[in-house]
């Protein structure tokens, strides 16, 4: 999977906007989007929010989790816990990038938020790397990781599966016929 | 006719239609075009952009597009000529013209149906009133004849001869009146169309449209500022007008900066910040070294007379007076010591007052986004002009236009930097050419004007085959000449400059600029003068450029053209 595909899936998430125009209810394949009235907030998917923002037809309201104090708390929790803590949002990385690139003037303290989200991402990816490393070195049969987001899984998927495949080939050459360490194919 | 409510009469009319944009090749037009494009993107209006470099291009573009488009928007072209006569459009084509060229042709002003002028009516126009120029001759004749008939029918035929004489007298009286009226009309039109000058920037007009529609963004504000600064850099408007327009822009800038004040909700560093600057008049100094910038800026170079040895010594004195070590001053501005940079503006202003340069600082705006990017409006004007008139590679004009247009966006910083490099080369070339012209006395006084011809072998002469570069060179040259000559009378003369344009076709580009003075109103009479001189000597000229004071002439006809001009103007 390409990171841009993950971003595309992230654009389905809902975000609050305040439009400045009038429009009746929209009936789209993915669902209905409520009537647009100037000054009244409503939820729309991110792709529509960004399009309207670029055409200067709305103001974007940052999601609840995109707040400096909350992100600081989450970052501390993440650093202390050994396992993965629940992520701010299943698509926190993509949403941060999209909203801060196109609507940073509607989001207060955008630079600090960018830094905090990057810190959280770095901590989680480090944990992921450690866990993958121990999985391979201890030749475990299966592992279970909670609270991973799709972007993180996608980041490690290619490397992990390729390396496991290589190990399998090496092992099956050394001990031909032995069924030790049967690895699931993807 | 003039459009009073630009939103209702222009924007809402074209919002649901397909529009053809015909844009002239100068920076103000490019900025206006960018603003209009951004507005069209917001409202998803379909448009076609056609760059036009002169009247012929305009005609060709119109012929190509007249079948598909009903609405044409002309930016910085078309107001100073009878457009309907030139293009011969159909009845339903409508033209919206936003042009800084004045005087606006009277037919364009008084046409009610097809020509809409996006120009403010109080913008110093001086248009003669309708009755002075147009009158219905049909009515006069009919009135006279019916009067005649009724006279004849009511009286018996015996007295016809007497009445006939009365009628003949009245007719003679009417004809005399008509001749007088026509003579007055010719005089009024001659006065009106004699001088050519420039009005409010087109970019500012379109920014006002955006503001009235509450769709203005900082990007559009910055483009409007660049359009206004272009008028000042290329010396198209008087200083008073520039300062007044800067004040208008300052109001918009403070309105947009209002949000930055709040400390708790401070904006991201990547957001664009526009600020008012009372900055130095040294071109590109923040992207060059201070020394190079002082050497190549018109203002400082002319005051120090840097083409003489004495002048260079004075420059060294000036730098020493401020306590700036040469080593610091010669390196890139961004690498200069912070302690020097902090009070640089005040220090330079103080020192320059001692050397007779009272206006080293000028009111302008600067933009700041990201950690590295700071630009002054004049930097952007020079960079974009250099890209627009790029003669380095053999590219056609449309490519250069598109590149220059792209460099105005924030995301194309590489192109902007390459434009700045080209601008530096151009400025150095101008400086060297000015120095050589003055040292070799190439400027000759022909009586009513000064004349200078750049020979074909002159270094960098290819740069000066473009109108804006040649105009900039002539303005610098005139200022330098005034500083260097002792002849008091010569200081009040206008300048005509000629440079080879196309070696294969054997043509030269001729530019005429008004005399340089403190209270100059920048009104240029060379447009009409060139036309008359070309007519009287039947020289082969091409009056293609939108500024009528810039023409193309065959090299062989140069001398007889000049002689005709001398006789015309003396």
């Amino acid at each position: 999977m390409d990171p841009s595909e993950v971003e595309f899936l992230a654009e389905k998430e809902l975000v609050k906007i305040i439009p400045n125009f009038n429009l009746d209810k929209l009936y789209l394949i993915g669902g209905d989007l409520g009537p647009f009235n100037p000054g009244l907030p409503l939820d729309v998917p991110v792709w529509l929010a960004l399009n309207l923002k670029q055409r200067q037809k709305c103001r974007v309201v940052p999601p609840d989790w995109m707040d400096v104090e909350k992100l600081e708390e989450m970052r501390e929790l993440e650093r202390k816990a050994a396992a993965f803590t629940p992520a701010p949002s299943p698509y926190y990385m993509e949403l941060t990038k999209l909203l801060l690139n196109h609507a940073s003037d509607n989001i207060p303290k955008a630079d600090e938020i960018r830094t905090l989200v990057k810190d959280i991402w770095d901590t989680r990816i480090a944990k992921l790397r450690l866990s993958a490393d121990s999985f391979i070195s201890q030749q475990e049969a299966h592992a279970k990781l909670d609270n991973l987001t799709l972007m993180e899984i996608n980041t490690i998927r290619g490397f992990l599966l390729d390396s496991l495949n290589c190990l399998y080939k090496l092992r099956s050459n050394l001990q031909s016929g032995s069924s030790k360490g049967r690895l699931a194919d993807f | 006719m003039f459009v009073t409510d630009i939103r209702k009469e222009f924007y809402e009319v074209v919002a649901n239609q397909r529009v053809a944009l015909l844009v002239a090749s100068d920076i103000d037009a490019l900025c206006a075009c960018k603003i209009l494009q951004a507005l069209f993107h917001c409202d998803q209006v379909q448009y076609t952009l056609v760059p036009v470099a002169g009247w012929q291009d305009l005609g060709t573009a119109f012929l190509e597009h007249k079948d598909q488009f009903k609405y044409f928007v002309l930016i910085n072209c078309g107001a100073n000529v009878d457009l309907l006569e030139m293009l011969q459009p159909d009845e339903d084509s409508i033209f919206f013209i936003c042009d800084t060229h004045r005087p606006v042709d009277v037919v364009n002003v008084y046409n009610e149906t097809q020509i809409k002028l996006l120009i403010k009516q109080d913008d110093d126009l001086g248009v003669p009133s309708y009755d002075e120029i147009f009158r219905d001759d049909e009515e006069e004749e009919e009135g006279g004849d019916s009067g005649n008939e009724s006279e004849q029918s009511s009286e018996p035929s015996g007295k016809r001869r007497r009445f006939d004489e009365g009628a003949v007298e009245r007719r003679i009286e009417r004809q005399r009146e008509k001749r007088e009226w026509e003579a007055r009309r010719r005089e009024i039109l001659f006065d009106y169309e004699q001088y050519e000058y420039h009005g409010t920037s087109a970019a500012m007009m379109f920014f006002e449209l955006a503001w009235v529609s509450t769709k203005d963004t900082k990007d559009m504000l910055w483009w409007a500022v660049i359009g206004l600064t272009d008028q000042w850099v290329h010396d198209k408007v008087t200083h008073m007008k520039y300062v007044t327009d800067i004040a208008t822009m300052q109001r918009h800038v403070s309105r947009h900066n209002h949000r930055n004040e709040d400390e708790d909700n401070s904006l991201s560093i990547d957001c664009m910040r526009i600020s008012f600057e009372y900055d130095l008049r040294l071109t590109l100094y923040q992207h060059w070294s201070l020394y190079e910038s002082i050497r190549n800026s018109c203002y400082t170079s002319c005051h120090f007379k840097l083409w003489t040895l004495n002048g260079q010594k004075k420059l060294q004195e000036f730098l020493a007076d401020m306590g700036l070590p040469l080593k610091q001053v010669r390196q890139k501005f961004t690498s200069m010591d912070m302690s020097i940079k902090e009070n640089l503006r005040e220090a330079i202003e103080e020192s320059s007052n001692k050397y007779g340069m009272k206006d080293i600082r000028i009111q302008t705006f600067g933009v700041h986004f990201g950690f590295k990017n700071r630009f002054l409006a004049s930097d952007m004007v020079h960079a974009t002009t250099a890209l627009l008139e790029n003669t380095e590679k053999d590219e056609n004009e449309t490519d250069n236009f598109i590149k220059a247009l792209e460099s105005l966006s924030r995301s194309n910083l590489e192109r902007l930097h390459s434009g700045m490099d080209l601008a530096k080369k151009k400025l150095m070339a101008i400086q060297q050419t000015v120095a050589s012209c003055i040292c070799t006395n190439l400027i000759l006084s022909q009586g009513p004007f000064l004349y200078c011809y750049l020979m074909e072998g002159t270094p960098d002469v290819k740069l000066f085959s473009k109108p804006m570069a040649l105009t900039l060179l002539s303005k610098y040259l005139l200022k330098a000449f005034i500083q260097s000559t002792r002849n008091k009378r010569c200081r009040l003369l206008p300048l005509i400059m000629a440079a080879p344009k196309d070696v294969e076709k054997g043509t030269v580009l001729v530019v005429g600029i008004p005399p340089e003075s403190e209270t100059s109103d920048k009104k240029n009479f060379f447009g009409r003068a060139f036309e008359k001189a070309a007519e009287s000597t039947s020289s082969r000229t091409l009056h293609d450029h939108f500024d009528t004071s810039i023409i193309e002439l065959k090299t062989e006809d140069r001398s007889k053209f000049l002689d005709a001009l001398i006789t015309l103007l003396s």
Side-chain angles (χ1 to χ4, degrees):
Chain A
M1 222 185 198
D2 206 32
S4 44
E5 286 177 51
V6 181
E7 189 184 65
F8 182 71
L9 290 174
E11 285 179 348
K12 268 197 330 184
E13 291 290 299
L14 293 178
V15 75
K16 211 181 256 317
I17 63 160
I18 303 176
N20 61 18
F21 61 101
N22 258 319
L23 195 60
D24 288 331
K25 214 167 178 191
L26 285 176
Y27 299 99
L28 303 177
I29 295 176
D32 298 342
L33 293 175
F36 294 85
N37 294 312
L40 296 179
L42 81 157
D43 288 325
V44 294
V46 169
W47 57 267
L48 183 61
L50 292 181
N51 181 289
L52 290 177
K53 173 77 189 156
Q54 283 170 334
R55 289 163 56 190
Q56 296 171 57
K57 288 193 173 338
C58 75
R59 234 171 58 93
V60 172
V61 175
D64 292 329
W65 54 266
M66 209 179 261
D67 172 63
V68 172
E69 281 132 12
K70 290 205 185 114
L71 286 174
E72 272 178 355
E73 267 178 47
M74 280 193 222
R75 182 182 62 170
E76 293 311 316
L77 269 176
E78 192 72 47
R79 282 181 179 166
K80 288 190 197 124
F84 292 93
T85 61
S89 144
Y91 292 103
Y92 71 98
M93 196 63 191
E94 303 87 298
L95 287 183
T96 312
K97 172 181 168 279
L98 286 169
L99 291 178
L100 289 180
N101 277 353
H102 297 282
S104 61
D105 48 339
N106 290 147
I107 298 174
K109 301 201 184 166
D111 296 331
E112 290 173 33
I113 288 178
R114 214 191 282 263
T115 322
L116 287 167
V117 167
K118 185 80 171 73
D119 286 342
I120 296 177
W121 168 266
D122 284 339
T123 318
R124 290 169 73 97
I125 290 289
K127 283 189 201 166
L128 195 55
R129 250 182 268 132
L130 269 176
S131 137
D133 190 45
S134 68
F135 176 71
I136 294 181
S137 56
Q138 290 165 27
Q139 296 174 25
E140 306 263 346
H142 77 282
K144 178 176 168 199
L145 295 167
D146 289 329
N147 296 325
L148 276 182
T149 64
L150 183 58
M151 194 61 150
E152 288 152 2
I153 298 174
N154 193 52
T155 312
I156 200 147
R157 175 184 293 135
F159 172 72
L160 185 62
L161 294 174
D162 276 343
S163 51
L164 290 173
N165 256 346
C166 282
L167 283 173
Y168 176 68
K169 283 197 199 119
L170 289 171
R171 230 174 270 133
S172 56
N173 278 338
L174 285 175
Q175 304 168 19
S176 45
S178 154
S179 58
K180 188 175 183 187
R182 280 224 50 161
L183 300 154
D185 209 351
F186 54 99
Chain B
M1 57 178 271
F2 290 102
V3 159
T4 38
D5 184 346
I6 193 172
R7 186 165 50 138
K8 276 204 201 95
E9 295 177 43
F10 164 59
Y11 198 61
E12 287 177 8
V13 168
V14 300
N16 299 324
Q17 310 284 339
R18 292 173 59 213
V19 182
L21 284 183
L22 303 174
V23 182
S25 297
D26 64 83
I27 309 300
D28 188 24
L30 257 68
C31 293
C33 174
K34 278 295 246 200
I35 297 179
L36 198 56
Q37 277 182 317
L39 282 174
F40 282 169
H41 283 161
C42 279
D43 290 315
Q44 299 182 330
V45 176
Q46 293 178 324
Y47 66 94
T48 302
L49 173 63
V50 185
V52 291
W55 297 113
Q56 286 177 347
D57 274 351
L58 184 61
T60 340
F62 177 71
L63 285 173
E64 280 175 24
H65 293 101
K66 70 174 181 184
D67 296 320
Q68 303 152 18
F69 293 96
K70 204 173 99 157
Y71 293 98
F72 290 86
V73 179
L74 273 66
I75 303 187
N76 268 0
C77 50
N80 48 355
V81 122
D82 186 352
L83 203 62
L84 295 179
E85 200 187 300
M86 199 177 87
L87 297 179
Q88 303 283 334
D90 300 327
E91 287 289 315
D92 54 356
S93 300
I94 299 196
F95 296 89
F96 293 98
I97 307 181
C98 184
D99 191 350
T100 54
H101 292 106
R102 307 273 182 273
V104 182
D105 193 275
V106 287
V107 177
N108 289 345
V109 172
Y110 290 117
N111 179 305
E112 298 283 323
T113 48
Q114 287 188 279
I115 306 233
K116 317 264 182 193
L117 294 168
L118 302 173
I119 297 174
K120 288 220 178 83
Q121 247 177 299
D122 54 355
D123 195 18
D124 184 32
L125 289 172
V127 182
S129 68
Y130 185 77
D131 295 324
E132 288 174 4
I133 317 174
F134 300 107
R135 80 181 202 177
D136 286 328
D137 285 324
E138 310 282 329
E139 273 182 27
E140 298 286 333
E141 291 300 325
E142 277 174 348
D145 281 345
S146 62
N148 231 356
E149 278 174 43
S150 60
E151 304 261 3
Q152 285 179 337
S153 56
S154 60
E155 299 292 331
S157 51
K159 297 181 185 169
R160 190 176 296 184
R161 205 170 288 154
R162 186 154 53 95
F163 286 130
D164 268 349
E165 283 177 9
V168 164
E169 265 179 37
R170 268 193 296 278
R171 207 179 303 145
I172 292 179
E173 175 71 35
R174 264 204 316 278
Q175 281 177 355
R176 191 165 57 86
E177 213 183 278
K178 191 170 165 203
R179 271 200 298 277
E180 269 179 24
W181 179 86
E182 284 197 346
R184 237 192 350 258
R185 171 181 186 267
R186 265 200 300 276
E187 205 184 294
I188 290 177
L189 275 181
F190 179 74
D191 282 337
Y192 178 60
E193 293 176 354
Q194 194 186 27
Y195 288 99
E196 182 190 66
Y197 60 104
H198 286 267
T200 316
S201 146
M204 277 177 62
M205 279 305 301
F206 282 119
F207 178 73
E208 206 181 288
L209 167 64
W211 175 48
V212 164
S213 327
T214 58
K215 292 201 173 102
D216 56 328
T217 58
K218 283 198 187 147
D219 279 307
M220 290 187 201
L221 177 56
W222 181 237
W223 288 325
V225 166
I226 296 179
L228 170 61
T229 314
D230 167 58
Q231 289 195 313
W232 175 70
V233 165
H234 290 109
D235 222 14
K236 290 184 191 167
V237 287
T238 60
H239 190 71
M240 275 311 303
K241 181 149 177 57
Y242 173 69
V243 170
T244 324
D245 287 340
I246 287 270
T248 320
M249 287 282 106
Q250 167 65 347
R251 286 197 282 275
H252 289 292
V253 166
S254 11
R255 184 170 53 89
H256 276 268
N257 281 344
H258 181 64
R259 254 186 306 154
N260 288 7
E261 304 299 313
D262 194 357
E263 270 311 309
D264 278 345
N265 291 337
S266 55
L267 282 185
S268 156
I269 196 80
D270 285 330
C271 285
M272 190 183 225
R273 287 173 167 80
I274 305 178
S275 52
F276 177 78
E277 311 265 348
Y278 190 38
D279 212 337
L280 300 169
R281 218 193 251 210
L282 302 171
T283 17
L284 290 172
Y285 81 96
Q286 287 176 357
H287 303 271
W288 215 351
S289 72
L290 192 59
Y291 186 67
E292 289 291 328
S293 178
I294 295 182
R295 270 210 320 178
N296 291 313
S297 300
C298 166
Y299 188 70
T300 41
S301 152
C302 292
H303 276 271
F304 283 132
K305 299 198 201 142
L306 285 179
W307 52 87
T308 59
L309 216 52
N310 218 357
Q312 307 211 4
K313 276 197 221 153
K314 257 175 126 179
L315 174 60
Q316 311 280 15
E317 265 178 45
F318 174 71
L319 292 171
D321 183 59
M322 284 196 290
L324 298 176
L326 263 183
K327 201 163 156 225
Q328 285 290 328
V329 159
R330 275 187 204 260
Q331 64 176 326
K332 273 183 71 159
F333 187 80
T334 41
S335 338
M336 266 171 68
D337 273 348
M338 271 313 290
S339 53
I340 300 184
K341 274 198 276 193
E342 264 163 29
N343 289 328
L344 189 64
R345 288 185 210 169
E346 285 81 22
I348 290 193
E349 188 173 11
E350 223 182 277
S351 291
S352 52
N353 272 331
K354 288 188 217 162
Y355 283 81
M357 297 189 285
K358 303 262 184 259
D359 305 311
I360 191 95
R361 286 173 84 166
I362 187 78
Q363 298 168 338
T364 183
F365 291 97
V367 77
H368 174 199
F369 50 92
F371 287 103
K372 268 206 300 183
N373 306 307
R374 291 195 63 214
F375 300 105
L376 287 177
S378 51
D379 299 342
M380 303 230 19
V381 170
H382 281 283
T384 322
T385 316
L387 282 173
L388 190 59
E389 297 197 325
N390 190 1
T391 51
E392 284 200 354
K393 297 183 195 162
D394 262 333
E395 283 160 3
N396 66 359
E397 292 186 358
T398 319
D399 283 338
N400 284 340
F401 183 91
I402 299 291
K403 290 203 174 124
L405 199 62
E406 281 175 6
S407 76
L408 287 171
S409 301
R410 261 194 291 159
S411 43
N412 289 331
L413 287 175
E414 256 185 50
R415 219 182 266 295
L416 187 64
H417 284 295
S418 73
M420 286 209 215
D421 289 331
L422 286 172
K424 288 177 198 171
K425 283 190 205 155
K426 188 172 96 168
L427 282 170
M428 290 199 285
I430 289 182
Q431 208 46 45
Q432 282 164 358
T433 316
V434 165
S436 72
C437 281
I438 297 213
C439 290
T440 56
N441 283 327
L442 268 180
I443 309 179
L444 311 162
S445 165
Q446 301 284 4
F449 56 84
L450 299 166
Y451 173 68
C452 180
Y453 176 58
L454 290 180
M455 311 284 281
E456 253 161 59
T458 323
D460 302 313
V461 79
K462 213 169 147 220
L463 271 176
F464 302 123
S465 61
K466 299 279 180 180
M468 280 203 281
L470 190 58
T471 318
L472 206 59
L473 171 66
S474 11
K475 292 210 191 261
Y476 280 25
L477 191 56
L478 188 58
K479 287 193 182 122
F481 180 73
I482 289 176
Q483 292 285 340
S484 74
T485 183
R486 298 226 185 112
N487 188 337
K488 287 225 164 80
R489 202 183 68 84
C490 280
R491 290 187 193 170
L492 302 170
L493 294 178
L495 170 67
I496 294 187
M497 186 100 194
K501 182 175 163 77
D502 194 332
V503 185
E504 294 151 5
K505 286 194 226 157
T507 55
V508 290
L509 189 64
V510 181
V511 159
I513 59 174
E516 177 70 31
S517 71
E518 293 288 320
T519 53
S520 157
D521 55 2
K522 317 277 179 203
K523 292 202 180 183
N524 196 336
F525 56 80
F526 279 114
R528 302 274 162 241
F530 283 168
E531 268 174 36
K532 288 212 181 97
E535 252 177 66
S536 63
T537 57
S538 57
S539 316
R540 293 158 286 177
T541 54
L542 188 62
H543 298 262
D544 192 40
H545 204 256
F546 296 120
D547 280 325
T548 47
S549 55
I550 302 179
I551 65 168
E552 203 178 324
L553 171 69
K554 281 273 184 193
T555 326
E556 299 93 41
D557 297 336
R558 216 171 15 112
S559 32
K560 60 178 180 178
F561 182 76
L562 276 175
D563 290 330
L565 266 179
I566 295 175
T567 32
L568 195 66
L569 293 173
S570 43

